[in-house]
Amino acid sequence: MSQTDLAFADLLADTKHSAVHLEMRDSYGIGEEATEFKAWLAGWRPSPEPGTWWNEFHTMVRDAVARGVEFRRARIVSEPVSDYIRYEHSCTYQNIAAGESVRWLPRRKASDLALPGNDYWLFDQQVVMWNHFTGDGESAGPEVDRRDTVAKLCTTAFEAVWNRATPHEEYPIHPA
């Protein structure tokens, strides 16, 4: 399990009410996902059968939702969307099946929002886990931040994005 996965699992274990995730990159190149993305570009599509794609992350989300944690994920994307975002959109049914609510916000509609400089998870509006990335989109490791002012900034930013964003099932992605 990666450092990011361990940090996430530990923080999620203590979460009682909410976990929100703000993603702001147009591409990522993280481990096994990079291999899957290359296969997707070549025409492979994941089977919708849960036994073929369900993983430890999905189990953690499902278990947290079962104990009352609300999961929301918002993605700010450039339009027209990148191939990576097309891929991500096509696999989002997996997040939803695990119990997440997902919304998409075109970057042009986020121009007047005050946003943090990095993607993050926010747990119970109190603890931030920054997701740092290299220029190539690989994980540069997480950073946990427990400052109240930072949690407030991330809460306000996420809610502003969420309120403007389009629910996954209504956000159209057109084939390349």
Side-chain angles (χ1 to χ4, degrees), residues 25 27-31 132-140:
R25 294 179 57 94
S27 68
Y28 297 85
I30 303 169
H132 298 294
F133 296 94
T134 67
D136 292 334
E138 293 182 33
S139 176

Side-chain angles (χ1 to χ4, degrees), residues 9-169:
D10 289 345
L11 291 168
L12 184 58
D14 293 334
T15 300
K16 307 228 182 314
H17 307 288
S18 65
V20 302
H21 188 35
L22 183 60
E23 298 178 2
M24 298 180 284
R25 294 179 57 94
D26 287 320
S27 68
Y28 297 85
I30 303 169
E32 70 282 348
E33 188 178 84
T35 301
E36 186 175 287
F37 174 55
K38 287 178 185 173
W40 186 89
L41 285 172
W44 170 83
R45 296 298 181 263
S47 167
E49 296 299 317
T52 64
W53 53 262
W54 194 272
N55 62 38
E56 189 173 348
F57 172 79
H58 299 114
T59 299
M60 286 189 290
V61 171
R62 181 199 61 205
D63 292 351
V65 168
R67 70 174 200 271
V69 175
E70 178 186 31
F71 265 80
R72 294 183 295 158
R73 180 185 301 253
R75 294 176 170 142
I76 299 173
V77 296
S78 299
E79 291 181 322
V81 299
S82 67
D83 285 341
Y84 182 87
I85 294 300
R86 276 187 194 72
Y87 156 74
E88 197 171 53
H89 190 273
S90 76
C91 296
T92 295
Y93 70 87
Q94 298 169 359
N95 301 80
I96 293 168
E100 287 188 50
S101 294
V102 180
R103 292 188 181 181
W104 303 80
L105 182 65
R107 192 171 311 281
R108 63 184 159 71
K109 293 184 178 180
S111 297
D112 63 341
L113 299 179
L115 300 170
N118 294 292
D119 291 9
Y120 62 88
W121 280 95
L122 174 64
F123 301 92
D124 287 336
Q125 298 182 338
Q126 296 176 348
V127 180
V128 175
M129 186 178 86
W130 298 112
N131 298 118
H132 298 294
F133 296 94
T134 67
D136 292 334
E138 293 182 33
S139 176
E143 176 186 1
V144 176
D145 193 329
R146 297 178 186 278
R147 292 176 290 169
D148 292 339
T149 55
V150 172
K152 184 175 180 175
L153 166 70
C154 291
T155 298
T156 301
F158 184 87
E159 293 305 326
V161 169
W162 188 258
N163 289 333
R164 287 189 188 180
T166 302
H168 173 74
E169 59 278 2

